[in-house]
Amino acid sequence: MRKATGVFILRRMLQLIPVVIAIAALNFLLLHMTPGDAADILAGQMGHATVEFTQQLRQEFGLDRPLYEQFAIYLGKLLTFDLGMSHIQQTPVIELILGRLPATLILMVAAITISVVLGVILGVSAARRQGTITDNLISVTALIVYATPAFWLGLMLIVLFSIILDILPSGGMMQVGAGLTGIDHVLDVARHLILPATTLGLFYVAIYTRLMRASMLEVYGLDFIVTARAKGLSEGQIAWTHAMRNALLPVITLAGVQIGHLLGGSILIETVFGWPGLGRLVFDALLQRDLNLLLGILFISSVVVILANLVVDLLYGLLDPRIVHK
Amino acid sequence: MSQPVLDVQGLSVNFRTSHGVVNAVEDLSFQIGEGETVAIVGESGSGKSTAALALLRLIPDPPGKIVSGSVRLDGTELLTLSESEIRHIRGFKIAMIFQDPMMALNPVYTIERQIGEVLQLHLGMSRRERLLEAIELLRLVGVPAPEERVQQYPHNLSGGMRQRVMIAMALACRPRLLIADEPTTALDVTVQAQVLDLIQGLKDKFGMAVMLITHDLGIVAETADRVVVMYTGRKVEEGSVTEIFDDLRHPYTRGLLGAAKWEEGDGDMLREIPGTVPSPFDMPTGCSFQPRCPLAEARCLSDRPGLETFAPGREVRCFIAGEARS
Ligand SMILES: Nc1ncnc2c1ncn2[C@@H]1O[C@H](COP(=O)(O)OP(=O)(O)OP(=O)(O)O)[C@@H](O)[C@H]1O
Ligand SMILES: [Mg+2]
């Protein structure tokens, strides 16, 4: 059993290699399809864009070699996380990204946790009381949230919780100048996290609620639920163990999809809430046409999404023993 | 006769559907003594499973409802117990196994967990005791290498092994009554006999009462002590196995037996019952079997025959059978 799980993990990881190479290739092509190369830009910046000088730069950067050789060099650099320089900010791209990535990851993890946990609880609760007022209330609320644009919701939450009620900060990641450390620092970040993470995750709370409810109702129709009742388990025990464990599977699958969406969504939410993550970096890079930085972010985001999906796959394998053996 | 383990009197179960009310079980009475196997036979839709689930009060409500009757287990009335009291009967005093052991076991839990659950719930065993007892139970039902099997999932086992696991789970608390709803229908012919032998052996060992629901009259002949024949929710004949096979009275039982002789000199062999089971929403007048009955007379079309008792445990619901006798 242990061995099967190990083989399963290894196989999943090996499958990722071609995916990462494909993303690198896409990045590489995008880099080459844009008019002008790094040599042109650099020469332009240095103020003497003579043909000879540009040619010399090209040689230096290996831009005169055949495309496949350049790609090999590019891949080699990626392996060492050398994503090149941001010519606008005069800083290595990887440094800029690593400076922002943690904030985005925190936001994403919080948003996913909120959406999965709330979605599952609400979905199970609705399914258990199918057709009752509780069920209808949950379902209708989910539908409304589902149809509400995230940024509008974010603004409304700011208005309610930080302006009217004044209990949560409206933006940023921590209290500036407070110099908090240790647990106080964690709590401070957590307080700042609530509104953006909720805004980012709320759409998915609605989706998971509906999915979980439908999934639970389907599982309730399966024979092993009758077995569980015939064993003497209470409806509560059945809902939160036998039924939920099976009904969770489609939710986990969707969570893999959500991770990709979240990265996109976080650009907007980080802007609305002044959250210092990758989203803002993308925004800046777009405005300044910082191509190297954009491609670097694209690559790293892809790797993050792929790794996150790997985790989701492994989690799925853990929840459904049948997968590991296929 | 000493007190029967199970005593069912006048049990009626309705389902309210959008098409109307279905009387799935109507005025059903029967008893099962200690160490006795009573077979319930009848075509699809005759109410066998509904009757079985009603004993455990597991009729889905809505749409179903036990409208009247009495179900006594060792003298205790089950239909008036509170919800938590009846849960203490399920899996403890009355256990049930089902047709499809793949579907009846939860695919995401190990065998240990699924057997252990009953032991924890009803016997309050610790984790360690549960593991040892689960292994012991698997050994009892003839699962080879129980120490390994107990850690596995349902999909790791063959159909026959899964049904053995179901039986182990059902017997975990040494129930007074085992309900087996077509326990071998989904199994290979060679495995069927093994599973039936197992049930019979364990019945003798523990002195349980067994309610065996089946379509297969071969199984009835080999395993049952007495037989209850059901049609459209009603008992149409009851008798010992010998009586049913050698001295059957009801034309429906005769149809079920296929090649049985009805009257002397009547040589035609009836392989299949002509026609189909009437829709529960469109019951014929008089006897519900009359449209398919080769012997139907005028009064069969207008009057409903009552159940006639010829001897204790020997009953027939048929005008003609009654007259042939008296
Ligand atoms: N949940 C339900 N809702 C509505 N009607 C039901 C429900 N369950 C059973 N019935 C009806 O009750 C009647 C008896 O069904 P039941 O399943 O008890 O028959 P059965 O003898 O077990 O048949 P089978 O041999 O196919 O298992 C049928 O007419 C069926 O349509
Ligand atoms: Mg049935």
Side-chain angles (χ1 to χ4, degrees), chain B residues 15-17 22-25 42-51 60 63-64 99 181-182 213 215 280:
Chain B
F15 288 103
R16 295 181 179 279
T17 71
V22 180
N23 301 313
V25 172
E43 285 171 290
S44 193
S46 52
K48 308 181 295 292
S49 299
T50 303
Q99 176 171 345
D181 191 348
E182 307 196 30
I213 297 173
H215 280 169

Side-chain angles (χ1 to χ4, degrees), chain B:
Chain B
M1 185 169 147
S2 58
Q3 189 187 46
V5 174
L6 178 72
D7 185 2
V8 178
Q9 293 298 330
L11 182 68
S12 296
V13 182
N14 284 354
F15 288 103
R16 295 181 179 279
T17 71
S18 47
H19 303 284
V21 175
V22 180
N23 301 313
V25 172
E26 225 180 314
D27 194 22
L28 177 67
S29 305
F30 65 96
Q31 300 172 342
I32 310 181
E34 204 165 273
E36 190 181 35
T37 301
V38 171
I40 312 282
V41 298
E43 285 171 290
S44 193
S46 52
K48 308 181 295 292
S49 299
T50 303
L53 289 174
L55 304 186
L56 283 171
R57 302 234 317 253
L58 283 177
I59 300 293
D61 177 11
K65 205 164 194 77
I66 299 174
V67 283
S68 61
S70 148
V71 175
R72 288 177 180 276
L73 185 81
D74 288 323
T76 307
E77 176 62 56
L78 301 186
L79 297 188
T80 52
L81 291 183
S82 73
E83 188 55 35
S84 70
E85 284 168 335
I86 188 72
R87 279 211 304 272
H88 197 61
I89 300 284
R90 296 176 189 149
F92 187 51
K93 296 284 182 200
I94 304 180
M96 188 162 178
I97 59 176
F98 302 90
Q99 176 171 345
D100 189 342
M102 178 74 238
M103 306 298 285
L105 289 167
N106 191 329
V108 304
Y109 286 142
T110 61
I111 306 303
E112 178 190 351
R113 156 96 210 232
Q114 301 193 51
I115 297 179
E117 203 166 40
V118 192
L119 298 169
Q120 182 182 24
L121 195 65
H122 298 300
L123 304 176
M125 285 192 188
S126 72
R127 209 197 151 102
R128 173 107 198 109
E129 291 170 325
R130 297 202 298 267
L131 174 62
L132 294 177
E133 180 63 19
I135 293 173
E136 228 20 72
L137 283 163
L138 289 182
R139 208 188 309 280
L140 181 73
V141 297
V143 172
E147 294 87 356
E148 280 167 44
R149 290 301 191 188
V150 80
Q151 307 291 355
Q152 296 186 330
Y153 293 92
H155 71 270
N156 301 120
L157 308 178
S158 69
M161 283 303 143
R162 281 182 212 132
Q163 196 59 291
R164 284 174 193 268
V165 169
M166 281 298 292
I167 294 171
M169 206 157 82
L171 296 183
C173 302
R174 310 282 186 264
R176 294 287 290 151
L177 170 68
L178 175 70
I179 304 172
D181 191 348
E182 307 196 30
T184 57
T185 312
L187 304 178
D188 289 343
V189 184
T190 47
V191 184
Q192 288 189 2
Q194 294 169 10
V195 168
L196 287 169
D197 284 349
L198 176 68
I199 294 177
Q200 285 298 93
L202 293 167
K203 178 202 74 178
D204 293 339
K205 190 167 177 173
F206 300 136
M208 292 182 294
V210 174
M211 175 174 171
L212 178 70
I213 297 173
T214 180
H215 280 169
D216 186 334
L217 288 154
I219 291 177
V220 174
E222 274 168 41
T223 55
D225 300 307
R226 283 189 302 117
V227 184
V228 170
V229 182
M230 286 184 70
Y231 187 70
T232 57
R234 266 172 269 171
K235 178 165 79 176
V236 294
E237 181 157 11
E238 179 180 342
S240 70
V241 174
T242 350
E243 285 162 341
I244 294 295
F245 281 91
D246 298 343
D247 182 28
L248 62 88
R249 303 285 171 74
H250 200 286
Y252 178 65
T253 314
R254 182 195 188 212
L256 281 181
L257 281 167
K261 242 177 162 183
W262 175 242
E263 270 174 47
E264 264 175 83
D266 180 2
D268 68 324
M269 307 286 267
L270 203 60
R271 293 258 168 233
E272 285 227 325
I273 308 171
T276 52
V277 180
S279 153
F281 308 107
D282 190 19
M283 278 294 166
T285 55
C287 171
S288 62
F289 187 59
Q290 69 52 27
R292 306 170 74 189
C293 183
L295 306 172
E297 302 173 350
R299 59 181 162 164
C300 302
L301 275 61
S302 55
D303 301 335
R304 272 173 92 165
L307 207 53
E308 223 174 310
T309 309
F310 294 96
R314 184 76 185 106
E315 295 174 317
V316 183
R317 190 189 290 276
C318 178
F319 293 125
I320 296 156
E323 269 166 24
R325 187 71 180 174
S326 49

